Amino acid sequence: NYACLRHGGGCRDSHGPTHRCRAVVKREKACRQGLLMALAPSVVLYLICLLFGPQVAALFTRDPQVITQAALYMRSNNFDCMSLSFIFCINGYFNSMGYSWFTMFHSLLTTFAVRVPLTWLLSTMAGSTIFTIGLAPSVSSLVSLALCTFFYRRVAKQGPLLTISPAKCPPG
Protein backbone atom coordinates (compact mmCIF):
# COMPACT_ATOMS: atom_id res chain seq x y z
CA ASN A 1 0.00 0.00 0.00
CA TYR A 2 1.54 3.30 -1.15
CA ALA A 3 0.06 5.25 1.78
CA CYS A 4 1.80 2.95 4.24
CA LEU A 5 5.11 3.34 2.40
CA ARG A 6 4.78 7.12 2.53
CA HIS A 7 4.17 6.92 6.27
CA GLY A 8 7.32 4.98 7.06
CA GLY A 9 6.21 1.46 6.16
CA GLY A 10 5.17 -1.25 8.55
CA CYS A 11 1.54 -0.20 8.92
CA ARG A 12 -1.33 -2.35 7.71
CA ASP A 13 -4.63 -1.49 6.10
CA SER A 14 -6.44 -2.59 9.28
CA HIS A 15 -4.83 0.26 11.21
CA GLY A 16 -6.46 2.87 9.00
CA PRO A 17 -5.90 6.64 9.07
CA THR A 18 -5.82 6.88 12.87
CA HIS A 19 -2.68 4.73 13.08
CA ARG A 20 -0.94 6.61 10.28
CA CYS A 21 -1.90 9.98 11.75
CA ARG A 22 -0.52 9.09 15.17
CA ALA A 23 2.66 7.73 13.57
CA VAL A 24 3.22 11.07 11.85
CA VAL A 25 2.63 13.01 15.07
CA LYS A 26 5.01 10.71 16.99
CA ARG A 27 7.64 11.07 14.28
CA GLU A 28 7.45 14.87 14.41
CA LYS A 29 7.59 14.87 18.21
CA ALA A 30 10.57 12.49 18.25
CA CYS A 31 12.42 14.68 15.76
CA ARG A 32 11.76 17.84 17.78
CA GLN A 33 12.86 16.14 21.00
CA GLY A 34 15.97 14.73 19.32
CA LEU A 35 16.87 18.18 18.00
CA LEU A 36 16.47 19.73 21.43
CA MET A 37 18.50 16.97 23.12
CA ALA A 38 21.24 17.40 20.51
CA LEU A 39 21.23 21.17 20.89
CA ALA A 40 22.29 21.39 24.54
CA PRO A 41 25.56 19.42 24.41
CA SER A 42 26.35 20.76 20.93
CA VAL A 43 26.13 24.38 22.06
CA VAL A 44 28.18 23.66 25.19
CA LEU A 45 30.92 21.90 23.21
CA TYR A 46 30.77 24.59 20.54
CA LEU A 47 31.40 27.30 23.11
CA ILE A 48 34.12 25.32 24.89
CA CYS A 49 36.04 24.71 21.66
CA LEU A 50 35.47 28.27 20.45
CA LEU A 51 36.52 29.99 23.67
CA PHE A 52 39.00 27.47 25.08
CA GLY A 53 40.42 25.77 21.97
CA PRO A 54 44.07 25.93 23.08
CA GLN A 55 43.23 24.47 26.51
CA VAL A 56 41.27 21.62 24.93
CA ALA A 57 44.13 20.87 22.52
CA ALA A 58 46.62 21.01 25.41
CA LEU A 59 44.83 18.03 26.97
CA PHE A 60 46.30 15.89 24.17
CA THR A 61 49.74 17.36 23.53
CA ARG A 62 52.34 19.72 24.96
CA ASP A 63 53.69 20.85 21.57
CA PRO A 64 52.83 24.58 21.26
CA GLN A 65 52.62 24.49 17.45
CA VAL A 66 50.20 21.56 17.50
CA ILE A 67 48.11 23.29 20.18
CA THR A 68 47.91 26.48 18.11
CA GLN A 69 46.98 24.65 14.91
CA ALA A 70 44.47 22.38 16.65
CA ALA A 71 42.76 25.39 18.24
CA LEU A 72 42.52 27.09 14.83
CA TYR A 73 41.02 23.96 13.28
CA MET A 74 38.51 23.54 16.11
CA ARG A 75 37.37 27.14 15.68
CA SER A 76 36.80 26.78 11.94
CA ASN A 77 35.34 23.25 12.05
CA ASN A 78 33.21 23.86 15.12
CA PHE A 79 30.02 24.77 13.25
CA ASP A 80 30.21 21.49 11.35
CA CYS A 81 30.31 19.49 14.58
CA MET A 82 27.36 21.38 16.01
CA SER A 83 25.25 21.21 12.84
CA LEU A 84 25.81 17.47 12.36
CA SER A 85 23.68 16.72 15.41
CA PHE A 86 20.80 18.48 13.65
CA ILE A 87 21.51 16.85 10.31
CA PHE A 88 21.53 13.37 11.89
CA CYS A 89 18.16 14.01 13.58
CA ILE A 90 16.67 15.30 10.36
CA ASN A 91 18.09 12.32 8.45
CA GLY A 92 16.41 9.99 10.94
CA TYR A 93 13.16 11.88 10.46
CA PHE A 94 13.35 11.56 6.68
CA ASN A 95 14.31 7.88 6.97
CA SER A 96 11.28 7.22 9.15
CA MET A 97 9.09 8.70 6.42
CA GLY A 98 10.55 6.41 3.78
CA TYR A 99 12.82 9.03 2.23
CA SER A 100 16.10 7.28 2.91
CA TRP A 101 17.07 7.95 -0.72
CA PHE A 102 17.17 11.67 0.07
CA THR A 103 19.38 11.26 3.13
CA MET A 104 21.82 9.22 1.04
CA PHE A 105 21.63 11.71 -1.83
CA HIS A 106 22.29 14.86 0.19
CA SER A 107 25.02 13.19 2.25
CA LEU A 108 26.88 11.98 -0.83
CA LEU A 109 26.34 15.26 -2.66
CA THR A 110 27.65 17.44 0.15
CA THR A 111 30.58 15.12 0.79
CA PHE A 112 31.80 14.60 -2.77
CA ALA A 113 30.59 17.80 -4.46
CA VAL A 114 31.29 20.27 -1.63
CA ARG A 115 33.41 19.00 1.27
CA VAL A 116 36.17 17.14 -0.59
CA PRO A 117 36.62 19.57 -3.52
CA LEU A 118 36.45 22.62 -1.25
CA THR A 119 39.00 21.13 1.15
CA TRP A 120 41.34 20.48 -1.76
CA LEU A 121 40.76 23.96 -3.23
CA LEU A 122 41.34 25.72 0.10
CA SER A 123 44.47 23.67 0.76
CA THR A 124 46.01 24.73 -2.57
CA MET A 125 45.39 28.47 -2.12
CA ALA A 126 48.36 30.69 -1.34
CA GLY A 127 48.52 31.50 2.36
CA SER A 128 46.18 28.67 3.25
CA THR A 129 46.10 27.71 6.92
CA ILE A 130 44.50 24.92 8.88
CA PHE A 131 41.77 27.45 9.76
CA THR A 132 40.82 28.00 6.11
CA ILE A 133 40.93 24.27 5.37
CA GLY A 134 38.69 23.66 8.38
CA LEU A 135 36.01 25.90 6.87
CA ALA A 136 35.19 23.32 4.17
CA PRO A 137 33.25 20.95 6.48
CA SER A 138 31.25 23.88 7.85
CA VAL A 139 30.34 25.06 4.36
CA SER A 140 29.35 21.49 3.49
CA SER A 141 27.09 21.37 6.54
CA LEU A 142 25.46 24.66 5.55
CA VAL A 143 24.71 23.21 2.12
CA SER A 144 23.34 20.06 3.76
CA LEU A 145 21.10 22.10 6.08
CA ALA A 146 19.87 24.13 3.10
CA LEU A 147 19.06 20.94 1.15
CA CYS A 148 17.25 19.43 4.15
CA THR A 149 15.25 22.63 4.67
CA PHE A 150 14.31 22.76 0.99
CA PHE A 151 13.30 19.08 0.99
CA TYR A 152 11.30 19.41 4.22
CA ARG A 153 9.36 22.36 2.82
CA ARG A 154 8.80 20.53 -0.47
CA VAL A 155 7.59 17.37 1.28
CA ALA A 156 5.41 19.32 3.70
CA LYS A 157 3.58 20.97 0.82
CA GLN A 158 2.74 17.61 -0.78
CA GLY A 159 0.08 16.78 1.76
CA PRO A 160 -0.67 16.06 5.38
CA LEU A 161 2.39 13.84 5.87
CA LEU A 162 4.29 16.44 7.92
CA THR A 163 1.53 18.82 8.95
CA ILE A 164 -0.98 16.71 10.89
CA SER A 165 -1.54 17.89 14.45
CA PRO A 166 -2.98 15.64 17.21
CA ALA A 167 -6.16 17.71 17.22
CA LYS A 168 -6.82 16.81 13.58
CA CYS A 169 -6.39 13.05 14.07
CA PRO A 170 -9.55 10.96 13.79
CA PRO A 171 -10.85 9.58 17.11
CA GLY A 172 -9.84 6.13 18.19
Side-chain angles (χ1 to χ4, degrees), residues 4 12 66 80 104 143 171:
C4 287
R12 296 186 183 146
V66 173
D80 177 53
M104 179 64 81
V143 172

Side-chain angles (χ1 to χ4, degrees), residues 50-132:
L50 188 66
L51 301 173
F52 305 106
Q55 291 85 349
V56 172
L59 294 173
F60 302 98
T61 184
R62 296 189 193 277
D63 185 341
Q65 288 181 331
V66 173
I67 291 171
T68 302
Q69 295 302 311
L72 283 174
Y73 184 76
M74 282 191 282
R75 287 191 179 122
S76 64
N77 190 34
N78 212 357
F79 176 78
D80 177 53
C81 296
M82 187 172 64
S83 63
L84 281 180
S85 61
F86 289 99
I87 293 168
F88 290 161
C89 288
I90 293 167
N91 280 346
Y93 181 69
F94 289 147
N95 284 335
S96 73
M97 294 179 357
Y99 294 113
S100 57
W101 65 268
F102 175 75
T103 62
M104 179 64 81
F105 169 76
H106 90 81
S107 296
L108 289 172
L109 180 72
T110 56
T111 299
F112 295 111
V114 179
R115 185 178 301 239
V116 172
L118 189 56
T119 301
W120 176 81
L121 180 67
L122 292 173
S123 71
T124 60
M125 291 174 45
S128 179
T129 66
I130 195 79
F131 181 84
T132 55

